[in-house]
Amino acid sequence: MLTRRIIPCLDVKAGRVVKGISFLNHRDAGDPVQLAAFYNESGADELVFYDITASSDERNIMVEVVENVARQVFIPLTVGGGIRTVDDMYRMLRAGADKVSINTAAVLNPQLIEDGAKRFGSQCIVLSMDARRINEPGQPSQWNVFTHTGRDPRPTGLDAIEWAKRVVDLGAGELVINSMDADGTGAGYDNELLSAISQQVGVPVIASGGAGKPEHLLAALHEGKADAVLAASIFHFGTYTVEAVKEYLTEQGIPMRRTPRPV
């Protein structure tokens, strides 16, 4: 039986890890290098690093910070934010990333997904999607894909489920599905969105946005049919530890990885 993954997320702004609610009112959560080292020792299965204003500021990702973070971890590291070209992907992989995550650039240039997959392999290409509900009450559920979500969220008109299927066809090897409605609220993931996408694609789907307690992670894995759960606030501010969440999920019958610690 396939194990499920717990993935802390470092949203980095101006060199600091921050966390807000629906991308607003950011609260400082610490130094990304120190947090990376902490999660590496705490049993996290993977780590995600997002330079959250690189795309909206139209600048490149902070390579030096990525390099410093990569030196601290012996678990897979995904890096995203401001990656616009295959050369940008290569630069991040050279800096120590195991995977690169793209969102805005993929919408603006879908060919980037295929080009990246051909050069580095689909296992390196992660499509990160920020989606918001747009349906009226009583109507079938629909979600719109947004770009530039660090400072200036822009609706694309793309249907989230159709976009998910398209990017997988282009070569994306993994999807991070972030609910803009739930992000930072601690009220739980959008499991309806997760389930709708998980049933339409043949690659791992990672739940993002809304984790407030271990029960929310369990629901994302069960109801949302996610393969992994990404969380930030509950770990950054000490509400729960990775180890405690893994113990809870194991007790609920979810197969969890026991990450080897570095010798």
Side-chain angles (χ1 to χ4, degrees), residues 46-64:
E46 298 187 15
L47 191 67
V48 168
F49 175 110
Y50 287 138
D51 187 339
I52 61 172
T53 57
S55 291
S56 55
D57 289 351
E58 298 184 351
R59 61 171 172 78
N60 293 327
I61 199 168
M62 297 174 287
V63 178
E64 296 82 4

Side-chain angles (χ1 to χ4, degrees), residues 10-196:
L10 307 181
D11 287 331
V12 179
K13 178 182 180 182
R16 298 287 292 179
V17 176
V18 297
K19 190 56 190 172
I21 299 176
S22 297
F23 304 97
L24 300 173
N25 302 316
H26 289 128
R27 175 184 174 191
D28 187 272
D31 176 74
V33 178
Q34 292 177 353
L35 278 174
F38 171 74
Y39 288 128
N40 182 75
E41 292 295 322
S42 300
D45 297 303
E46 298 187 15
L47 191 67
V48 168
F49 175 110
Y50 287 138
D51 187 339
I52 61 172
T53 57
S55 291
S56 55
D57 289 351
E58 298 184 351
R59 61 171 172 78
N60 293 327
I61 199 168
M62 297 174 287
V63 178
E64 296 82 4
V65 180
V66 172
E67 289 174 338
N68 290 335
V69 166
R71 292 189 187 103
Q72 299 298 319
V73 298
F74 298 89
I75 53 178
L77 172 66
T78 298
V79 173
I83 296 173
R84 302 178 183 86
T85 67
V86 171
D87 286 342
D88 289 339
M89 294 178 178
Y90 180 66
R91 192 174 301 114
M92 290 303 100
L93 295 172
R94 282 287 303 271
D98 298 281
K99 310 175 194 176
V100 291
S101 177
I102 51 177
N103 178 1
T104 296
V107 173
L108 298 176
N109 176 26
Q111 184 63 38
L112 178 61
I113 303 169
E114 185 173 353
D115 292 345
K118 285 181 177 178
R119 181 165 177 184
F120 307 113
S122 289
Q123 78 284 351
C124 284
I125 309 301
V126 179
L127 188 285
S128 179
M129 180 193 302
D130 291 316
R132 175 172 285 161
R133 284 180 178 269
I134 59 171
N135 56 289
E136 296 294 329
Q139 298 297 315
S141 296
Q142 284 186 294
W143 297 265
N144 190 4
V145 175
F146 278 67
T147 60
H148 300 83
T149 45
R151 293 185 194 271
D152 180 27
R154 304 176 190 177
T156 65
L158 291 170
D159 176 79
I161 298 172
E162 293 304 315
W163 178 234
K165 293 192 291 186
R166 183 181 178 196
V167 300
V168 170
D169 287 341
L170 287 169
E174 196 166 65
L175 306 181
V176 175
I177 308 300
N178 184 58
S179 167
M180 296 177 66
D181 304 296
D183 186 84
T185 65
Y189 300 93
D190 188 336
N191 294 318
E192 185 182 6
L193 171 62
L194 292 169
S195 177

Side-chain angles (χ1 to χ4, degrees), residues 191-231:
N191 294 318
E192 185 182 6
L193 171 62
L194 292 169
S195 177
I197 290 178
S198 295
Q199 295 182 80
Q200 293 292 325
V201 299
V203 301
V205 169
I206 301 172
S208 175
K213 55 186 179 180
E215 289 83 356
H216 292 153
L217 281 70
L218 176 65
L221 296 169
H222 268 320
E223 300 167 25
K225 299 178 173 58
D227 298 276
V229 280
L230 184 150

